Amino acid sequence: MKALVKLEIARTLRNRKFMFFTVIYPSVLFLLIAGSTDADDRVPGTGLSMPLYYMVAMASFGALTAGLMGNGERIAKEREGGWTRQLRLTPLPGRGYVAAKIAVGAVATLPSIVIVFVVAAAVKGVRLDAAWEWAALTGAIWAGSLVFAALGVAIGYLATGDAVRPLTMIIYFGLSILGGLWMPTTSYPQWLRNIGDYLPTHAYTALGQAIELGGAPHVKDVALLIAYLALFAGGAAWLYRKDTRKA
C-alpha cells in the first residue's frame, strides 16, 4: 500500500490541471465572492463576517473538489484501462486500495486549504483570536476531507468512464449548493435547510465555523461526518470487491 500511495501522490502532483483546480481555484472563488465584503458585513444566523464565513466555505469547497474530481474520474479510467486489474494480481487487499486512494486525496487537499487561508489573511485581513484556531481549522477541514475522498472512490467504482463525469458533477454541485459552500443556507426556504442539515457538506463547514467562533465542533456534526465516512469507505470497498468478482 505504501508503494501505491507514493505512486499516486507523484501522479497527482504531476497533473497540472488538477492541481490548478484544487489548489488555486478555491482561492480565486474566495476573492470573487468575498472580495467586495468586509468585516462589517455579517452572515445572518452565524455570528460570522462574510470574509470569515467564505474562508472556511471555500477551503471546504477545495477539499470537496480534490476528493470528488480527483478520485472518481481517475478510478473509472483506471478500471477501463486495466490498471486496477493489474493491481488485483498483487497482494494488495481491497481495503488497502481504498485507504491508499483516500490518503492521496487528503494529500492533494492540504495545499488548497492552506492557500485559501493565506489569501484570506493577506488580501482580506482575516484574523482569528488565537494562533491555535488556525491550526485547529486546518486540522478539522483536512480530516473532514477524508469523507469526500472516500465518496470519490465509491463513485469511481459505481459509474462507467462515460457516466462518471456527469454523475460526479451532479453530486459535486448538489453538495456544494445545498451544504452552504456557495451561499449561506440561512437564505434558503426551511424545507431546503432541513435537507441541507443532514448533508456531509453542511456538517463539514460547521466544523470550521464552530472553531472560528472560538468553540469546539458540535458532536452532531462530527458524528454525521464519521457516519458518512464509514458509509462511503465501506461502499467503496464493497464495490471494489464486486468489481473483482465480476472480472
Side-chain angles (χ1 to χ4, degrees):
M1 191 176 76
K2 291 181 180 179
L4 180 61
V5 169
K6 291 179 180 179
L7 174 63
E8 291 292 339
I9 290 175
R11 291 175 60 194
T12 300
L13 294 178
R14 286 198 300 265
N15 189 334
R16 296 180 181 178
K17 291 182 180 179
F18 174 73
M19 292 305 296
F20 170 80
F21 280 105
T22 56
V23 176
I24 306 300
Y25 184 51
S27 300
V28 173
L29 281 181
F30 169 80
L31 293 175
L32 290 175
I33 296 173
S36 60
T37 65
D38 55 40
D40 294 328
D41 296 320
R42 316 300 291 184
V43 179
T46 66
L48 298 171
S49 67
M50 284 286 189
L52 268 175
Y53 178 90
Y54 279 110
M55 181 180 75
V56 164
M58 289 301 102
S60 303
F61 179 69
L64 176 67
T65 303
L68 287 184
M69 309 302 286
N71 276 334
E73 191 168 349
R74 184 183 298 126
I75 289 173
K77 289 181 178 179
E78 288 175 354
R79 288 172 58 208
E80 292 190 344
W83 172 239
T84 53
R85 189 180 301 112
Q86 293 296 319
L87 288 177
R88 286 195 289 268
L89 299 177
T90 70
L92 181 70
R95 63 180 180 277
Y97 176 85
V98 173
K101 289 293 187 180
I102 293 175
V104 172
V107 170
T109 296
L110 185 57
S112 68
I113 297 171
V114 172
I115 290 179
V116 169
F117 288 174
V118 170
V119 170
V123 179
K124 297 301 297 177
V126 172
R127 298 291 183 268
L128 298 177
D129 293 335
W132 68 265
E133 292 181 352
W134 289 106
L137 266 179
T138 303
I141 296 176
W142 194 24
S145 70
L146 299 177
V147 175
F148 305 105
L151 176 58
V153 178
I155 292 173
Y157 272 95
L158 184 65
T160 63
D162 292 333
V164 67
R165 178 168 293 185
L167 177 62
T168 300
M169 295 304 292
I170 291 172
I171 296 174
Y172 178 66
F173 286 113
L175 289 178
S176 298
I177 296 171
L178 295 177
L181 297 185
W182 286 6
M183 63 187 72
T185 57
T186 52
S187 62
Y188 293 174
Q190 187 59 48
W191 66 270
L192 199 56
R193 292 172 61 182
N194 292 338
I195 294 174
D197 285 345
Y198 289 93
L199 293 178
T201 39
H202 185 274
Y204 187 38
T205 54
L207 293 182
Q209 290 170 8
I211 295 172
E212 284 181 321
L213 291 170
H218 299 298
V219 174
K220 174 190 173 183
D221 297 321
V222 175
L224 195 63
L225 287 173
I226 291 174
Y228 272 114
L229 177 60
L231 174 65
F232 295 151
W238 180 79
L239 289 167
Y240 179 87
R241 290 193 296 270
K242 180 181 178 182
D243 196 62
T244 300
R245 290 193 298 269
K246 189 183 298 184

Tab-separated table of all heavy atoms in Angstrom, residues 202-233:
chain	number	residue	atom	x	y	z
A	202	HIS	N	-22.684	20.239	4.854
A	202	HIS	CA	-23.167	21.154	5.885
A	202	HIS	C	-22.440	20.903	7.207
A	202	HIS	O	-21.982	21.839	7.880
A	202	HIS	CB	-24.674	20.996	6.073
A	202	HIS	CG	-25.267	21.982	7.040
A	202	HIS	ND1	-25.305	21.754	8.406
A	202	HIS	CD2	-25.830	23.204	6.855
A	202	HIS	CE1	-25.867	22.780	9.011
A	202	HIS	NE2	-26.196	23.675	8.090
A	203	ALA	N	-22.328	19.639	7.588
A	203	ALA	CA	-21.598	19.296	8.811
A	203	ALA	C	-20.122	19.659	8.680
A	203	ALA	O	-19.484	20.076	9.656
A	203	ALA	CB	-21.746	17.804	9.099
A	204	TYR	N	-19.608	19.530	7.480
A	204	TYR	CA	-18.190	19.817	7.222
A	204	TYR	C	-17.877	21.298	7.440
A	204	TYR	O	-16.923	21.648	8.144
A	204	TYR	CB	-17.882	19.403	5.787
A	204	TYR	CG	-16.435	19.463	5.382
A	204	TYR	CD1	-15.422	19.098	6.258
A	204	TYR	CD2	-16.081	19.854	4.095
A	204	TYR	CE1	-14.098	19.132	5.867
A	204	TYR	CE2	-14.772	19.885	3.697
A	204	TYR	CZ	-13.777	19.523	4.581
A	204	TYR	OH	-12.464	19.561	4.197
A	205	THR	N	-18.683	22.176	6.865
A	205	THR	CA	-18.455	23.613	7.059
A	205	THR	C	-18.735	24.030	8.499
A	205	THR	O	-18.113	24.962	9.016
A	205	THR	CB	-19.329	24.450	6.116
A	205	THR	OG1	-20.707	24.070	6.282
A	205	THR	CG2	-18.948	24.236	4.665
A	206	ALA	N	-19.655	23.327	9.157
A	206	ALA	CA	-19.968	23.650	10.552
A	206	ALA	C	-18.779	23.404	11.471
A	206	ALA	O	-18.642	24.076	12.499
A	206	ALA	CB	-21.168	22.838	11.029
A	207	LEU	N	-17.904	22.452	11.113
A	207	LEU	CA	-16.701	22.212	11.903
A	207	LEU	C	-15.865	23.485	11.985
A	207	LEU	O	-15.478	23.936	13.070
A	207	LEU	CB	-15.851	21.098	11.273
A	207	LEU	CG	-16.376	19.671	11.244
A	207	LEU	CD1	-15.330	18.765	10.618
A	207	LEU	CD2	-16.731	19.184	12.632
A	208	GLY	N	-15.566	24.046	10.818
A	208	GLY	CA	-14.738	25.246	10.769
A	208	GLY	C	-15.414	26.448	11.386
A	208	GLY	O	-14.770	27.264	12.067
A	209	GLN	N	-16.716	26.584	11.170
A	209	GLN	CA	-17.428	27.742	11.718
A	209	GLN	C	-17.433	27.717	13.243
A	209	GLN	O	-17.318	28.770	13.888
A	209	GLN	CB	-18.857	27.756	11.175
A	209	GLN	CG	-18.923	28.084	9.688
A	209	GLN	CD	-20.297	27.854	9.108
A	209	GLN	OE1	-21.253	27.581	9.830
A	209	GLN	NE2	-20.414	27.961	7.788
A	210	ALA	N	-17.551	26.534	13.840
A	210	ALA	CA	-17.519	26.419	15.302
A	210	ALA	C	-16.163	26.860	15.847
A	210	ALA	O	-16.088	27.556	16.873
A	210	ALA	CB	-17.825	24.983	15.726
A	211	ILE	N	-15.103	26.476	15.163
A	211	ILE	CA	-13.758	26.868	15.607
A	211	ILE	C	-13.557	28.361	15.428
A	211	ILE	O	-12.961	29.030	16.281
A	211	ILE	CB	-12.695	26.071	14.829
A	211	ILE	CG1	-12.803	24.579	15.181
A	211	ILE	CG2	-11.287	26.574	15.128
A	211	ILE	CD1	-11.933	23.679	14.335
A	212	GLU	N	-14.059	28.928	14.324
A	212	GLU	CA	-13.942	30.371	14.099
A	212	GLU	C	-14.629	31.170	15.208
A	212	GLU	O	-14.199	32.267	15.551
A	212	GLU	CB	-14.547	30.737	12.745
A	212	GLU	CG	-13.674	30.377	11.564
A	212	GLU	CD	-14.303	30.779	10.248
A	212	GLU	OE1	-15.534	30.631	10.098
A	212	GLU	OE2	-13.584	31.240	9.363
A	213	LEU	N	-15.687	30.612	15.761
A	213	LEU	CA	-16.423	31.282	16.829
A	213	LEU	C	-15.781	31.048	18.195
A	213	LEU	O	-16.321	31.482	19.218
A	213	LEU	CB	-17.878	30.805	16.843
A	213	LEU	CG	-18.725	31.250	15.639
A	213	LEU	CD1	-20.067	30.533	15.634
A	213	LEU	CD2	-18.926	32.762	15.652
A	214	GLY	N	-14.643	30.323	18.196
A	214	GLY	CA	-13.917	30.101	19.444
A	214	GLY	C	-14.346	28.894	20.231
A	214	GLY	O	-13.941	28.730	21.389
A	215	GLY	N	-15.151	28.021	19.642
A	215	GLY	CA	-15.627	26.837	20.342
A	215	GLY	C	-15.108	25.562	19.712
A	215	GLY	O	-14.235	25.578	18.844
A	216	ALA	N	-15.663	24.450	20.170
A	216	ALA	CA	-15.311	23.137	19.628
A	216	ALA	C	-16.400	22.690	18.654
A	216	ALA	O	-17.560	23.115	18.784
A	216	ALA	CB	-15.166	22.122	20.754
A	217	PRO	N	-16.056	21.861	17.669
A	217	PRO	CA	-17.081	21.351	16.753
A	217	PRO	C	-18.200	20.625	17.502
A	217	PRO	O	-17.954	19.973	18.517
A	217	PRO	CB	-16.291	20.385	15.856
A	217	PRO	CG	-14.888	20.875	15.919
A	217	PRO	CD	-14.706	21.414	17.308
A	218	HIS	N	-19.404	20.732	17.001
A	218	HIS	CA	-20.544	20.088	17.645
A	218	HIS	C	-20.485	18.569	17.449
A	218	HIS	O	-20.068	18.075	16.399
A	218	HIS	CB	-21.844	20.634	17.069
A	218	HIS	CG	-22.022	22.111	17.273
A	218	HIS	ND1	-22.101	22.682	18.518
A	218	HIS	CD2	-22.104	23.131	16.389
A	218	HIS	CE1	-22.243	23.994	18.408
A	218	HIS	NE2	-22.243	24.295	17.119
A	219	VAL	N	-20.927	17.864	18.469
A	219	VAL	CA	-20.887	16.395	18.436
A	219	VAL	C	-21.706	15.861	17.266
A	219	VAL	O	-21.310	14.897	16.602
A	219	VAL	CB	-21.408	15.817	19.768
A	219	VAL	CG1	-21.520	14.294	19.697
A	219	VAL	CG2	-20.503	16.221	20.920
A	220	LYS	N	-22.858	16.486	16.998
A	220	LYS	CA	-23.716	16.030	15.901
A	220	LYS	C	-22.981	16.087	14.568
A	220	LYS	O	-23.064	15.151	13.759
A	220	LYS	CB	-24.979	16.887	15.830
A	220	LYS	CG	-25.864	16.565	14.629
A	220	LYS	CD	-26.973	17.583	14.462
A	220	LYS	CE	-27.737	17.354	13.156
A	220	LYS	NZ	-28.780	18.373	12.922
A	221	ASP	N	-22.254	17.170	14.323
A	221	ASP	CA	-21.540	17.324	13.054
A	221	ASP	C	-20.417	16.302	12.927
A	221	ASP	O	-20.232	15.703	11.864
A	221	ASP	CB	-20.976	18.738	12.936
A	221	ASP	CG	-22.072	19.793	12.915
A	221	ASP	OD1	-23.115	19.541	12.293
A	221	ASP	OD2	-21.880	20.857	13.527
A	222	VAL	N	-19.677	16.095	14.007
A	222	VAL	CA	-18.588	15.112	13.987
A	222	VAL	C	-19.150	13.706	13.757
A	222	VAL	O	-18.630	12.936	12.948
A	222	VAL	CB	-17.776	15.164	15.298
A	222	VAL	CG1	-16.736	14.056	15.322
A	222	VAL	CG2	-17.108	16.523	15.457
A	223	ALA	N	-20.229	13.366	14.480
A	223	ALA	CA	-20.833	12.043	14.338
A	223	ALA	C	-21.371	11.824	12.928
A	223	ALA	O	-21.250	10.727	12.361
A	223	ALA	CB	-21.957	11.877	15.361
A	224	LEU	N	-21.957	12.870	12.352
A	224	LEU	CA	-22.503	12.757	11.000
A	224	LEU	C	-21.390	12.497	9.986
A	224	LEU	O	-21.543	11.650	9.085
A	224	LEU	CB	-23.261	14.038	10.651
A	224	LEU	CG	-24.193	13.987	9.429
A	224	LEU	CD1	-25.307	12.987	9.664
A	224	LEU	CD2	-24.786	15.371	9.164
A	225	LEU	N	-20.277	13.191	10.129
A	225	LEU	CA	-19.161	13.004	9.208
A	225	LEU	C	-18.540	11.611	9.369
A	225	LEU	O	-18.165	10.979	8.377
A	225	LEU	CB	-18.104	14.086	9.425
A	225	LEU	CG	-18.488	15.485	8.930
A	225	LEU	CD1	-17.437	16.498	9.349
A	225	LEU	CD2	-18.668	15.501	7.414
A	226	ILE	N	-18.422	11.137	10.595
A	226	ILE	CA	-17.891	9.784	10.822
A	226	ILE	C	-18.809	8.743	10.189
A	226	ILE	O	-18.347	7.774	9.569
A	226	ILE	CB	-17.723	9.522	12.324
A	226	ILE	CG1	-16.595	10.386	12.887
A	226	ILE	CG2	-17.427	8.043	12.590
A	226	ILE	CD1	-16.446	10.306	14.387
A	227	ALA	N	-20.115	8.947	10.330
A	227	ALA	CA	-21.070	8.015	9.729
A	227	ALA	C	-20.959	8.016	8.206
A	227	ALA	O	-20.976	6.947	7.565
A	227	ALA	CB	-22.490	8.380	10.155
A	228	TYR	N	-20.845	9.196	7.614
A	228	TYR	CA	-20.689	9.280	6.156
A	228	TYR	C	-19.371	8.656	5.701
A	228	TYR	O	-19.311	7.994	4.656
A	228	TYR	CB	-20.764	10.737	5.698
A	228	TYR	CG	-22.164	11.212	5.398
A	228	TYR	CD1	-22.762	12.204	6.173
A	228	TYR	CD2	-22.886	10.686	4.330
A	228	TYR	CE1	-24.040	12.651	5.899
A	228	TYR	CE2	-24.167	11.123	4.054
A	228	TYR	CZ	-24.747	12.107	4.833
A	228	TYR	OH	-26.023	12.540	4.559
A	229	LEU	N	-18.301	8.865	6.464
A	229	LEU	CA	-17.016	8.268	6.114
A	229	LEU	C	-17.111	6.749	6.116
A	229	LEU	O	-16.625	6.081	5.190
A	229	LEU	CB	-15.931	8.731	7.088
A	229	LEU	CG	-14.536	8.121	6.888
A	229	LEU	CD1	-13.988	8.437	5.497
A	229	LEU	CD2	-13.578	8.622	7.964
A	230	ALA	N	-17.742	6.180	7.148
A	230	ALA	CA	-17.911	4.728	7.218
A	230	ALA	C	-18.764	4.224	6.054
A	230	ALA	O	-18.464	3.187	5.448
A	230	ALA	CB	-18.542	4.341	8.553
A	231	LEU	N	-19.816	4.969	5.728
A	231	LEU	CA	-20.709	4.580	4.627
A	231	LEU	C	-19.977	4.615	3.291
A	231	LEU	O	-20.025	3.642	2.517
A	231	LEU	CB	-21.909	5.523	4.593
A	231	LEU	CG	-22.879	5.342	3.415
A	231	LEU	CD1	-23.556	3.976	3.487
A	231	LEU	CD2	-23.925	6.464	3.406
A	232	PHE	N	-19.286	5.708	3.001
A	232	PHE	CA	-18.616	5.854	1.707
A	232	PHE	C	-17.422	4.905	1.577
A	232	PHE	O	-17.226	4.284	0.525
A	232	PHE	CB	-18.158	7.300	1.513
A	232	PHE	CG	-19.280	8.290	1.418
A	232	PHE	CD1	-19.102	9.619	1.830
A	232	PHE	CD2	-20.523	7.920	0.930
A	232	PHE	CE1	-20.127	10.537	1.746
A	232	PHE	CE2	-21.568	8.833	0.848
A	232	PHE	CZ	-21.369	10.146	1.261
A	233	ALA	N	-16.619	4.791	2.635
A	233	ALA	CA	-15.459	3.896	2.581
A	233	ALA	C	-15.904	2.443	2.492
A	233	ALA	O	-15.334	1.652	1.717
A	233	ALA	CB	-14.571	4.102	3.808
